[in-house]
Amino acid sequence: MTTFPNFRSPDVLLDHARHTMRFYHPRAIDPAGGMYHYFKDDGAVYDASHRHLVSSTRFVFTYAMAYRHFGDPAYREGLTHAVRFLRESHRAPDGDGYAWMLDGRTIEDGTQHAYGEAFVLLAYAHATMGGLEEARPWIAEAFELMEKRFWNAADGLYADEASQDWRELSTYRGQNANMHACEALLAAHAATGERRYIERAYTVAYNITQRQAERCGGLVWEHYDTNWQPDWTFNIDDPENLFRPWGYQPGHFTEWAKLLLQLEARGKDVLEHDLGWLLPTAEKLFKVAVEKGWDPEYGGLCYSLAPDLTVCDFHKYFWVQAESAAAAAMLAARTGNAEYWTWYDRLWEYSWTHFVDHQHGAWYRILDRENRKLSDEKSPAGKVDYHTMGAAYDIVAVLKGGARA
């Protein structure tokens, strides 16, 4: 019988976050600027020049959080290094956008993505909370860029994608960019105390998990047309698309559950809106995710559900398990219902057994249904274990009786 550590111990979780961080630091730091984004299982860098906005911003988060929790000055230096590259290389010289992908410092794909720019906002908020005071005015700068270029007041949501010069706005609308915008807005409020950020987070959360859900069987569908009507066939032939997969996403259900509880905790003494829908919605989304998404034969939460809520993609992704564990802990603490702790333990034991690389550190990215690795690429662009370390910090905050900022 496998003996597991006590996953309800803050020290165990912080040790795990520290172990994960050691996989990336200091090998991730490129002396020429920014961070390396592509790592094999053993930490070897397999692409030294390519840079993705999502990784660049998420490294800001991971270094800021590591510095806040562990106080190592090297993490503060890494944070400064990551922010500098974001400002000097991804950001347009006039500040009107951020390049999606770079080859070195040359723009490879200049498409403007609300998803990526939500992470820019998140990065500046966490850099500020990590003690990098110069980043504080950049929070407002990033918010105002999204306000100008992506926000649609009539829709009450953000558009998704535009050309590099902003002349063409895609007709696609998606919930994923809005979900991470909500996350970033909560961080911006934590960093600044400015009411406009949590007000906007509330609007986005309500419109996705209430209004849009009413159009999609009461759940959060991923893809919509320009009028925010569900597009049930978008990427149906590309179900493993990295940022826009087809199907309901159990991992996004649980991620939303986590965000709704954070919004409730942060907004209860600030917002004048009705907050009574937040907990029931979080519980509903979590319930569907685990009841429909859990693989009863091999364990783990599957990646995607078809519109009829049958599993359509049995792959297991690292982030789905991590975010779901964080949501389970939050729901357990919020409701006192021991069933959520049962799910919490189940998710951690599965992840500890199959996803965590106890030798080299960090989590494997993706497994097949039978929990076999698909490749030796542990951390391609976009991963950086932002989800796994972030979940650990979220859970630590719950265990200590607080709400993670």
Side-chain angles (χ1 to χ4, degrees):
M1 181 176 178
T2 303
T3 301
F4 295 102
N6 178 9
F7 296 118
R8 302 188 202 180
S9 163
D11 289 341
V12 166
L13 297 175
L14 289 173
D15 282 346
H16 177 59
R18 192 183 287 110
H19 185 257
T20 302
M21 195 66 190
R22 283 200 296 268
F23 175 82
Y24 292 99
H25 180 77
R27 66 164 55 97
I29 296 177
D30 180 355
M35 308 295 193
Y36 300 118
H37 290 190
Y38 295 83
F39 303 90
K40 295 283 191 179
D41 283 341
D42 64 359
V45 175
Y46 66 92
D47 183 334
S49 63
H50 194 256
R51 301 288 190 267
H52 198 296
L53 181 60
V54 176
S55 278
S56 290
T57 50
R58 288 178 173 180
F59 268 124
V60 174
F61 169 88
T62 60
Y63 272 87
M65 291 297 281
Y67 179 65
R68 290 174 66 189
H69 283 82
F70 308 123
D72 186 338
Y75 292 149
R76 169 63 184 263
E77 293 171 10
L79 167 61
T80 303
H81 188 80
V83 170
R84 183 181 302 121
F85 188 82
L86 181 61
R87 295 293 293 179
E88 294 178 356
S89 298
H90 282 283
R91 181 176 178 268
D94 62 359
D96 196 18
Y98 285 78
W100 184 240
M101 288 190 282
L102 304 170
D103 184 2
R105 293 178 183 265
T106 302
I107 295 176
E108 180 180 284
D109 182 348
T111 306
Q112 309 287 351
H113 286 274
Y115 181 97
E117 288 166 32
F119 274 102
V120 171
L121 176 60
L122 184 87
Y124 292 147
H126 279 281
T128 301
M129 290 187 283
L132 204 65
E133 195 59 30
E134 67 194 79
R136 184 174 297 277
W138 303 336
I139 297 171
E141 176 191 271
F143 174 74
E144 287 156 12
L145 173 62
M146 293 185 69
E147 186 82 358
K148 175 183 177 182
R149 295 301 191 179
F150 287 118
W151 182 251
N152 184 301
D155 296 333
L157 291 168
Y158 293 97
D160 208 88
E161 178 184 326
S163 59
Q164 182 176 349
D165 61 8
W166 297 106
R167 292 181 182 178
E168 295 181 28
L169 187 67
S170 169
T171 59
Y172 172 84
R173 301 290 181 269
Q175 85 80 22
N176 197 12
N178 282 277
M179 181 184 73
H180 283 292
C182 181
E183 175 191 25
L185 289 158
L186 288 171
H189 179 259
T192 67
E194 291 187 37
R195 186 185 185 97
R196 60 176 173 167
Y197 298 127
I198 195 168
E199 288 280 1
R200 177 58 54 80
Y202 179 94
T203 299
V204 171
Y206 182 88
N207 286 339
I208 290 291
T209 69
Q210 302 300 297
R211 186 193 72 198
Q212 292 305 122
E214 289 178 3
R215 302 172 181 177
C216 307
L219 298 170
V220 178
W221 186 249
E222 295 292 311
H223 311 297
Y224 301 86
D225 65 18
T226 311
N227 297 315
W228 281 100
Q229 295 301 314
D231 184 340
W232 298 102
T233 62
F234 185 89
N235 274 350
I236 194 170
D237 297 322
D238 187 15
E240 296 177 38
N241 186 282
L242 186 58
F243 298 113
R244 296 175 180 174
W246 180 76
Y248 287 118
Q249 295 287 295
H252 284 164
F253 288 1
T254 59
E255 208 167 350
W256 263 119
K258 186 186 83 168
L259 291 171
L260 295 178
L261 294 177
Q262 290 174 332
L263 176 60
E264 181 190 52
R266 185 161 290 282
K268 63 183 178 182
D269 297 322
V270 179
L271 294 171
E272 297 173 359
H273 305 291
D274 172 26
L275 304 182
W277 57 273
L278 289 163
L279 176 60
T281 305
E283 290 201 274
K284 175 183 179 179
L285 290 171
F286 185 89
K287 177 181 172 66
V288 174
V290 297
E291 290 186 354
K292 299 298 184 180
W294 185 260
D295 185 338
E297 187 170 357
Y298 297 102
L301 283 171
C302 300
Y303 190 48
S304 300
L305 305 174
D308 66 359
L309 299 182
T310 59
V311 175
C312 61
D313 186 342
F314 275 97
H315 286 110
K316 315 294 170 56
Y317 281 73
F318 80 103
W319 65 268
V320 176
Q321 323 307 320
E323 293 290 355
S324 300
M330 288 184 180
L331 284 163
R334 173 66 177 83
T335 67
N337 184 345
E339 182 180 353
Y340 291 118
W341 284 124
T342 299
W343 274 111
Y344 174 82
D345 292 335
R346 185 177 296 145
L347 285 156
W348 259 116
E349 289 172 8
Y350 168 79
S351 301
W352 200 255
T353 301
H354 298 290
F355 271 103
V356 176
D357 184 341
H358 299 284
Q359 178 183 0
H360 298 294
W363 292 36
Y364 303 120
R365 189 179 78 89
I366 180 174
L367 307 175
D368 69 8
R369 184 182 181 186
E370 297 179 30
N371 301 314
R372 295 171 297 204
K373 286 191 304 171
L374 299 189
S375 80
D376 65 350
E377 295 177 3
K378 178 179 284 173
S379 186
K383 182 173 181 277
V384 314
D385 279 75
Y386 137 87
H387 282 286
T388 62
M389 288 186 279
Y393 298 131
D394 281 334
I395 298 163
V396 167
V398 170
L399 296 171
K400 291 184 174 181
R404 196 260 283 177

